[in-house]
């Protein structure tokens, strides 16, 4: 189950990578409507690479959270 969740989160980050990268470039602020309308392919590729940089952090947070919750639930069972 954990690996399915990690896979799903990574797929989500991959799908949102251009948007995430554009928001990082905008100073971690939301981008406006039609933010990529006039962007070149090179610009979108750069945003995508920047957005994918958070994959490791997302995985780490997911593993920590799952581990914590598993431990909490196991203590309840006893």
């Amino acid at each position: 189950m954990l690996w399915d969740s990690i896979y799903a989160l990574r797929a989500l980050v991959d799908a949102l990578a251009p948007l995430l990268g554009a928001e990082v470039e905008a100073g971690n602020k939301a981008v406006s409507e039609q933010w990529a309308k006039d962007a070149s392919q090179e610009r979108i590729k750069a945003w995508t690479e920047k957005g994918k940089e958070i994959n490791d952090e997302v995985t780490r947070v997911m593993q920590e959270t799952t581990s914590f919750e598993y431990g909490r639930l196991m203590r309840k069972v006893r």
Side-chain angles (χ1 to χ4, degrees):
M1 181 168 144
L2 171 64
W3 298 114
D4 292 339
S5 299
I6 290 173
Y7 176 79
L9 280 174
R10 284 185 176 174
L12 179 62
V13 169
D14 285 347
L16 295 175
L19 174 63
L20 297 171
E23 289 181 343
V24 167
E25 188 176 283
N28 293 324
K29 297 179 181 172
V31 293
S32 62
E33 187 176 327
Q34 297 189 7
W35 57 275
K37 182 180 177 189
D38 297 323
S40 68
Q41 288 299 316
E42 293 81 25
R43 182 68 161 239
I44 293 172
K45 184 178 178 182
W47 287 336
T48 301
E49 290 171 5
K50 189 69 165 167
K52 286 183 178 182
E53 289 177 6
I54 67 166
N55 256 334
D56 290 341
E57 180 69 9
V58 168
T59 300
R60 185 189 62 76
V61 170
M62 177 65 175
Q63 288 172 336
E64 284 179 3
T65 303
T66 302
S67 175
F68 175 80
E69 285 299 311
Y70 179 80
R72 187 181 67 79
L73 291 171
M74 291 308 290
R75 284 188 294 278
K76 264 184 164 180
V77 173
R78 294 183 199 181

